Amino acid sequence: MISKMNTNTSQRNLRRLVIMTMVSCFMLISFELSAWDCIETHPTINALAFEHFVARFNAGHFKDRFKGMQIDNQAQFSGLTFSKAVKYEASTEAKTINTVGVFSQWLERGGHDADVPQVRMGFRHFYDPVYEPRYLTWLRRKIIKPDKNKFSNEKELFESYNYRADDWNPNIEFGTVNRKIRLQPKIFRPEIDAITWGMSHEENEHNWQNGKLAYKAAMENDTSTFGSLNRSQMFGKAFRALGETMHLMADMTQPAHTRADSHSLYEPIEGSVNAKMVRKVIGDAHKDPNFRPVPEFDIEPGLSPEELMKSVAAFTNSHFFSNDSVFDFEKWIFPRSNKRPYPSPQLSKLRHEAGIYYSYFETVGWVPLAKETGSRFSKVFNDNDKYGRKNPKFNVMPYFAEKQAQVLIPLAIYNCAELIGAFLPRLSISSSLRKISGNSYELSGSLLHHADDPEWQDIGEIRYNGEGYIKVNSQWLRCNFIDGQLKPVKLELAPGDIVKLSVRNGAVIVQGEAITAD
């Protein structure tokens, strides 16, 4: 009897220990999984991206795509958003509030909301452009550090890693072991990468595709598509979704999020780049319509948002270390994260000066990427200038942040602006005057959506329902569109009167050509 009681007590203690360990891990990771800070940094990036987009728009960079259109950042839209950065909520329903904002403010809200609740969302904001699986893996075993003598060159080493790794053991191919037991709940290992999550994942109600569907429903005033949301709220939902996708684009400029580095303990660059630093490194450069990221980033016109995010992730991955993924073939230094190393950058291929390793960017200059510290930990507790150790360890230092941000933040702003341009539909107005008799005319017209646009082909043509405006000389009249067609309007005009039809909705103003009465 006593033995049985002792056994039961031991089992209870073991269960308590397991629960306490899981809770401790939960508390630990919850503070560090998001990329650039969602309270200030991400909203600031989105705000600056909007300003850059407007600068390019006004300079005529999109004249072929948006001919006859203007950006409307005055109209207010209502919608649901989060009041604060909730960390632990498994559901998002109870924490939303209704608010009102213009187009750019909803983009900023999306920059914030994409990380809420932080634990649940954090695991969905990673994309690995080199290895499969692309999502953040929860590996239970360390990668086996190979014998260098077995590889004559680094190409052979990386070819040996070219497989879709098992989530629990990175040394074996996925699917070779039947994994019937799953110790971590789905919240910790959702098996969703950032691009899939941002573009179309069914669990993400504010993904890119849903944002366009909400925009279409709002333009058509189809209140049956999104439950009880009215037109204004559907526009708010659409622009929040765009802002959340921009957030994920900016995450692709955060090295840890492109290098399978969960940085659950510490990430020096992410933790050091705040809104103040973002504005400092950008200044007013983004207001120049010809603003571009560093020349080393290859701008490829015509990429889809998904391909653009992949391109940005690949650039970040190949040009920067995360704190726990420093690697070098010559020195045989492997990542502290115990995951597969990446081909680039490598310490021995960088400029070395007094223990610090630099990479050169044409418009920025020499940027520090790593420092020899001797620290086995992510955080360096005793920084000094010693180098040339027998068994060196390497870290990315917090004071590297501003210089690295000079490369990474322009990359984020420029490509987030590209997303805005890809999201907005290409619209135009056609109109005509028919003389009835004397001074009586009938105005007819239509709001056309050019749905052959690649980003809208899968959504379908917008058939606008709502108000429009007729300008007769300097006088404004209201009119109505039904399924994209203007409800014919009778006008009394004198010869020489100028008539112009327009629509103001969905954060754009679409204007037709001026027509002169005979």
Side-chain angles (χ1 to χ4, degrees), residues 56-308:
R56 292 174 64 189
F57 190 101
N58 292 340
H61 287 199
F62 303 103
K63 61 183 179 181
D64 293 334
R65 176 174 170 80
F66 297 123
K67 183 179 179 181
M69 295 176 64
Q70 299 176 23
I71 301 301
D72 178 11
N73 202 37
Q74 300 297 319
Q76 299 268 343
F77 305 100
S78 62
L80 298 175
T81 184
F82 291 105
S83 59
K84 59 181 180 179
V86 184
K87 290 185 182 295
Y88 306 119
E89 292 295 322
S91 170
T92 62
E93 295 177 1
K95 297 295 183 179
T96 53
I97 60 170
N98 197 62
T99 191
V100 175
V102 298
F103 182 25
S104 63
Q105 290 171 329
W106 274 108
L107 299 184
E108 294 177 47
R109 292 303 315 185
H112 167 272
D113 290 352
D115 265 341
V116 183
Q118 287 177 308
V119 171
R120 183 171 183 268
M121 295 304 167
F123 289 95
R124 292 158 171 78
H125 288 204
F126 292 77
Y127 178 81
D128 191 330
V130 176
Y131 295 123
E132 291 189 78
R134 306 299 183 191
Y135 54 78
L136 180 66
T137 55
W138 189 282
L139 300 176
R140 303 300 298 168
R141 298 185 183 180
K142 299 178 181 180
I143 197 161
I144 298 173
K145 187 175 180 179
D147 181 355
K148 188 176 183 180
N149 294 325
K150 293 182 178 180
F151 302 95
S152 60
N153 55 60
E154 63 182 69
K155 183 175 182 292
E156 291 182 3
L157 173 68
F158 287 109
E159 284 178 349
S160 73
Y161 288 129
N162 189 22
Y163 54 86
R164 187 175 191 270
D166 184 272
D167 283 6
W168 291 60
N169 187 342
N171 302 289
I172 62 175
E173 178 81 26
F174 177 83
T176 56
V177 176
N178 185 15
R179 303 292 184 191
K180 293 183 178 180
I181 299 176
R182 293 288 187 266
L183 295 181
Q184 285 88 22
K186 190 176 180 181
I187 189 174
F188 288 140
R189 46 191 310 276
E191 299 182 347
I192 304 169
D193 68 78
I195 297 177
T196 301
W197 178 252
M199 288 292 106
S200 60
H201 199 278
E202 60 185 8
E203 293 180 16
N204 181 8
E205 63 175 294
H206 290 92
N207 64 45
W208 174 264
Q209 186 169 15
N210 279 347
K212 290 187 293 180
L213 287 170
Y215 190 96
K216 182 178 188 291
M219 288 291 282
E220 295 177 348
N221 202 20
D222 179 5
T223 56
S224 65
T225 303
F226 288 94
S228 60
L229 298 186
N230 60 35
R231 164 175 262 167
S232 182
Q233 290 172 326
M234 286 189 288
F235 277 128
K237 182 181 183 71
F239 300 142
R240 173 182 162 182
L242 172 56
E244 292 201 19
T245 309
M246 292 165 67
H247 174 120
L248 291 165
M249 174 67 83
D251 278 353
M252 298 301 94
T253 70
Q254 211 293 324
H257 283 250
T258 67
R259 297 176 71 87
D261 183 351
S262 65
H263 54 286
S264 55
L265 293 177
Y266 180 65
E267 217 304 306
I269 302 302
E270 177 180 293
S272 301
V273 176
N274 54 26
K276 183 178 180 180
M277 184 179 290
V278 168
R279 292 190 178 277
K280 179 181 178 181
V281 301
I282 287 296
D284 289 329
H286 67 292
K287 295 180 181 179
D288 181 350
N290 296 313
F291 165 80
R292 295 290 185 274
V294 291
E296 288 80 2
F297 176 73
D298 186 18
I299 296 174
E300 300 180 63
L303 291 182
S304 68
E306 180 177 359
E307 292 302 316
L308 184 61

Side-chain angles (χ1 to χ4, degrees), residues 10 47-48 147 190 206 221 260 280 328 343 377 384 404 423 433 476:
S10 298
L48 298 178
D147 181 355
H206 290 92
N221 202 20
K280 179 181 178 181
D328 189 72
F377 306 104
N384 57 58
Q404 291 195 14
F423 183 88
L433 271 177
W476 289 93

Side-chain angles (χ1 to χ4, degrees), residues 456-483:
W456 280 88
Q457 286 179 347
D458 58 338
I459 301 299
E461 181 183 355
I462 294 171
R463 298 180 181 274
Y464 177 66
N465 289 298
E467 279 192 336
Y469 300 90
I470 302 168
K471 185 179 182 182
V472 180
N473 299 325
S474 59
Q475 182 182 4
W476 289 93
L477 305 171
R478 293 180 184 272
C479 58
N480 284 287
F481 285 78
I482 300 174
D483 291 335

